[in-house]
Amino acid sequence: MLAGGELGGERSIRVGNRAHLIAFDPDAAFTVHAEHLAHRNKISAFDGRTLHGVVERVWLHGAEITEDSAPSGRVRRR
């Protein structure tokens, strides 16, 4: 577990900072179906396998992102 001070700067969780967070359920499971993937290539080494751990909710810059959310922000290159 990280203490807030270990995150440093804008990466700390506190009022006024931009929040990039997820709600993760480590006990939830799902089965991968390659034909339902949101990729052009509908092939997966995990097709038919049950995986554990599900991201339930996502917040980017403090706003919740859903499947219906419009893209926002900018692309960052390394």
Side-chain angles (χ1 to χ4, degrees):
M1 177 182 285
L2 291 175
E6 293 178 39
L7 296 171
E10 284 193 2
R11 295 178 185 210
S12 61
I13 300 171
R14 63 177 63 136
V15 174
N17 284 359
R18 295 182 300 171
H20 304 319
L21 302 170
I22 64 166
F24 182 76
D25 183 351
D27 298 319
F30 67 100
T31 301
V32 176
H33 298 287
E35 68 272 10
H36 296 143
L37 295 176
H39 301 276
R40 282 188 270 173
N41 186 351
K42 303 294 185 188
I43 297 173
S44 173
F46 299 100
D47 189 34
R49 293 186 184 205
T50 299
L51 303 180
H52 299 275
V54 174
V55 174
E56 298 288 345
R57 296 169 70 184
V58 176
W59 294 268
L60 180 62
H61 299 292
E64 186 168 8
I65 303 299
T66 66
E67 289 184 28
D68 299 326
S69 297
S72 64
R74 61 181 182 193
V75 175
R76 298 181 87 177
R77 306 265 186 232
R78 288 184 183 216

